[in-house]
DNA sequence: TCTCATTCTTGACTGCCATCAATTTCTTTT
DNA sequence: AAAAGAAATTGATGGCAGTCAAGAATGAGA
């Protein structure tokens, strides 16, 4: 644990995480102030671990700067990459209301700043500001829908379709023909339930089919979105 | 829609759904009374549709009696069975806080009674009783964890392991060596992302390996739980 | 800019599981 | 209880994708 803990004294020039998170950013400034008091900021180097499976879980983690990935490990050692979190995204949610042991791992993909709120502080916040609970409910239901859809893809689509659907989703998020993959082939494979080799091959197939163009391993151009999803 | 709508006047001999649902059953009787006023009960025959993908979604469905399945259909027509809901379980949650169009289907597996609450009524309840929101948050985080775990199984485990894990889970839920499968081979296959044929074969393999015993298609005996999960 | 480690791609082969088809077993109906 | 229909099993075959291995491309760091 070489990370750097300190109270967040960033009420001045520095922008607090609180104001960029969907679950808090609708609040009035004075309310935000209250929440900021419960927030601590930690900085991490690239590739550092934030939490691991088996760790006691009583903290909500909000990404302020950087990029973190959460993943699970099967007994076989095979990895499933759950998500890549960008600034404003949060994790650690489950344990806040029920279980208290992490089943997944979280580590930074880049140097990052993470804001944390302790469970007991969050519970106080929820009691004081019930509208935050409603925001979190909305966020949870979105994640649940997303997770269910992802599972459905695994159950019903073959690898090439899962890749195509992933690319289409990325395109939708980023809004440009030229999309930037936020992770390596290995991580992408771990997210889509396949192998780096197969990802390579299927991307090559999509390219020779005229659906995409690979400018570099992480820069892809979507040429035919409809064809991709057909 | 041949189902039978009526207001739930069941304050007497008949037990209301409200008192059996985890998200409400912690409330005091007078508060429950308030909620019951917003509840309607509908009865369905076996195999009847409750909602379909594309339907407008503004209702929470709580199973009172019977058994219902929720599923998604891929464009190919391939089905992913999301869940089988038993009395006390609920569905339709997503739309209550964000989206408003169903992406999945729900239909009864047996003659069933379903209690419904309209979105606007539920929102009133959440404002009046914030502790209900916290209950739902807990329920959501449990479902989210479960869904994530399920996805991880798809990504990292082969079919035989997924079946074994499913059986182990069933065993844990039912608490007896003799477990009752709540669905057909076809539905089980649709839940585990495989085919009825493969389910048959793998169950036969598990049986000849001495891990389980098949008394009838839906009655299985777990002989070696640890071996199953190894 | 050059170098080196890492990541990515391509090839050959294998195996798991889907598909199609034919019985057999179970369940439901009359 | 018998018969019809539905569900489950078993067999044969093929294809998708995983594994192992070698070579090419990328990009991070000096």
């Amino acid at each position: 644990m070489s990370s750097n803990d300190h109270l967040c004294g960033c009420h001045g020039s520095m922008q607090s995480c609180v104001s960029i998170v969907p679950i808090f950013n609708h609040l009035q400034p004075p309310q935000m102030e209250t929440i900021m008091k419960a927030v601590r900021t930690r900085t991490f180097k690239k590739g550092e671990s934030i939490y691991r499976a088996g760790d006691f879980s009583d903290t909500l983690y909000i990404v302020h700067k950087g990029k973190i990935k959460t993943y699970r490990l099967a007994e076989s050692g095979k990895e499933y990459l759950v998500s890549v979190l960008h600034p404003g995204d949060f994790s650690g949610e489950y344990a806040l209301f029920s279980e208290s042991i992490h089943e997944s791992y979280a580590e930074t993909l880049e140097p990052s700043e993470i804001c944390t709120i302790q469970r007991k502080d969050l519970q106080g916040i929820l009691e004081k500001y019930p509208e935050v609970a409603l925001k979190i409910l909305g966020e949870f239901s979105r994640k649940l829908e997303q997770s269910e859809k992802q599972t459905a893809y695994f159950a019903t689509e073959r690898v090439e379709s899962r890749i195509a659907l992933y690319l289409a989703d990325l395109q939708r998020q980023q809004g440009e023909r030229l999309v930037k993959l936020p992770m390596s082939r290995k991580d992408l494979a771990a997210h889509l339930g396949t192998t780096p080799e197969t990802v390579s091959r299927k991307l090559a197939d999509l390219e020779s089919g005229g659906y995409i163009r690979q400018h570099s391993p992480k820069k892809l151009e979507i040429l035919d979105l409809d064809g991709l999803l057909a």
Side-chain angles (χ1 to χ4, degrees), chain A residues 70-107:
Chain A
T70 66
Y71 61 98
R72 286 169 169 257
L73 289 181
E75 300 218 357
S76 65
K78 208 168 176 187
E79 172 183 330
Y80 165 59
L81 191 155
V82 179
S83 60
V84 172
L85 304 178
H86 296 93
D89 295 334
F90 60 90
S91 172
E93 51 241 50
Y94 319 118
L96 290 175
F97 310 102
S98 43
E99 300 287 311
S100 56
I101 299 291
H102 281 294
E103 296 189 18
S104 57
Y105 299 76
E107 68 181 49

Side-chain angles (χ1 to χ4, degrees), chain A residues 24-37:
Chain A
F24 292 131
N25 70 4
H26 61 102
L27 294 169
Q28 299 304 314
Q31 303 176 337
M32 274 198 203
E33 282 289 324
T34 317
I35 291 172
M36 281 187 220
K37 290 202 188 89

Side-chain angles (χ1 to χ4, degrees), chain A residues 131-149:
Chain A
E131 65 268 36
V132 172
L134 294 180
K135 279 280 177 184
I136 296 180
L137 271 176
E139 203 62 31
F140 270 24
S141 74
R142 210 187 44 70
K143 283 195 188 192
L144 203 45
E145 181 90 35
Q146 181 57 35
S147 173
E148 198 175 272
K149 189 187 285 187

Side-chain angles (χ1 to χ4, degrees), chain A residues 3-193:
Chain A
S3 58
N4 194 4
D5 280 41
H6 64 84
L7 279 169
C8 177
C10 41
H11 298 201
S13 59
M14 192 180 142
Q15 166 123 328
S16 163
C17 338
V18 175
S19 57
I20 65 164
V21 196
I23 57 173
F24 292 131
N25 70 4
H26 61 102
L27 294 169
Q28 299 304 314
Q31 303 176 337
M32 274 198 203
E33 282 289 324
T34 317
I35 291 172
M36 281 187 220
K37 290 202 188 89
V39 169
R40 291 168 132 265
T41 301
R42 296 173 60 188
T43 61
F44 292 87
K45 291 182 272 197
K46 176 176 176 173
E48 242 187 308
S49 167
I50 299 170
Y51 58 77
R52 332 184 103 256
D55 282 359
F56 189 71
S57 163
D58 62 353
T59 307
L60 183 75
Y61 299 87
I62 303 169
V63 182
H64 188 201
K65 288 181 184 165
K67 219 159 63 178
I68 79 177
K69 78 164 179 176
T70 66
Y71 61 98
R72 286 169 169 257
L73 289 181
E75 300 218 357
S76 65
K78 208 168 176 187
E79 172 183 330
Y80 165 59
L81 191 155
V82 179
S83 60
V84 172
L85 304 178
H86 296 93
D89 295 334
F90 60 90
S91 172
E93 51 241 50
Y94 319 118
L96 290 175
F97 310 102
S98 43
E99 300 287 311
S100 56
I101 299 291
H102 281 294
E103 296 189 18
S104 57
Y105 299 76
E107 68 181 49
T108 54
L109 291 172
E110 305 175 352
S112 302
E113 269 178 37
I114 313 292
C115 304
T116 62
I117 302 182
Q118 295 300 114
R119 160 196 247 142
K120 61 174 175 7
D121 293 329
L122 187 71
Q123 282 175 344
I125 291 169
L126 293 180
E127 278 168 30
K128 221 188 277 182
Y129 310 117
E131 65 268 36
V132 172
L134 294 180
K135 279 280 177 184
I136 296 180
L137 271 176
E139 203 62 31
F140 270 24
S141 74
R142 210 187 44 70
K143 283 195 188 192
L144 203 45
E145 181 90 35
Q146 181 57 35
S147 173
E148 198 175 272
K149 189 187 285 187
Q150 176 80 354
T151 314
Y153 287 162
F154 274 107
T156 61
E157 308 292 338
R158 49 191 55 213
V159 172
E160 185 165 315
S161 299
R162 298 208 295 273
I163 293 177
L165 286 161
Y166 176 80
L167 292 180
D169 204 50
L170 215 55
Q171 145 90 308
R172 199 180 43 72
Q173 281 175 41
Q174 301 186 5
E176 308 193 19
R177 283 168 55 89
L178 215 62
V179 300
K180 181 166 185 335
L181 289 183
M183 54 185 135
S184 66
R185 293 286 183 275
K186 180 172 154 292
D187 282 344
L188 187 52
H191 182 57
L192 297 176

